[in-house]
Amino acid sequence: MSEKKKSEKSAPKAQGGFPSYKGRPLVRSGDTLYYGSMTEKYVVKLDVKSKKDVQGLQVADKVSVQLMSTDAEIRNRKQIVKTSEKEGLYLALDIADAWLTRELGKAE
């Protein structure tokens, strides 16, 4: 039986058992991440467009960010509300959180 290293921490879990960022679910499928809950009015789609090698580890370099409506009645092209491209996953998640907070605040 192996012990976890002290430096290893499991990511906090949101509802549904998914890892979370700032209290919202973060779901990954390949190089695509979805930030937010599909039960809310908006969600953010993050696509890793390119990666770079940092000390032997593949790290996201260019990330496409799209704020999308979760309304199934809207056509796919119309679902995209905002779009941007950021350098690195941290900056992409930062803008994603700002967009979601602002838009979900308006919806309430």
Side-chain angles (χ1 to χ4, degrees), residues 5-49:
K5 295 179 185 175
K6 287 184 181 179
S7 62
E8 288 181 342
K9 293 182 182 177
S10 59
K13 303 288 182 187
Q15 289 178 337
F18 294 109
S20 66
Y21 178 73
K22 294 191 177 181
R24 291 193 173 99
L26 188 61
V27 181
R28 177 178 171 234
S29 175
D31 287 341
T32 302
L33 293 101
Y34 290 92
Y35 177 59
S37 174
M38 292 301 281
T39 61
E40 294 180 321
K41 190 171 180 174
Y42 296 97
V43 70
V44 177
K45 179 181 176 185
L46 302 130
D47 277 316
V48 177
K49 297 296 184 185

Side-chain angles (χ1 to χ4, degrees), residues 50-108:
S50 66
K51 299 176 186 176
K52 63 183 176 183
D53 189 67
V54 176
Q55 298 178 356
L57 185 65
Q58 291 291 310
V59 177
D61 185 33
K62 297 227 185 273
V63 181
S64 168
V65 184
Q66 294 179 332
L67 177 67
M68 303 175 67
S69 171
T70 57
D71 187 353
E73 302 295 317
I74 300 174
R75 291 187 327 207
N76 288 348
R77 285 195 180 268
K78 297 277 184 177
Q79 284 181 325
I80 299 170
V81 178
K82 290 183 182 184
T83 187
S84 181
E85 189 167 295
K86 296 294 177 192
E87 299 274 334
L89 188 58
Y90 179 77
L91 291 175
L93 279 170
D94 196 37
I95 193 71
D97 185 60
W99 285 355
L100 264 184
T101 301
R102 187 176 307 133
E103 290 301 319
L104 293 175
K106 288 180 188 177
E108 292 177 355

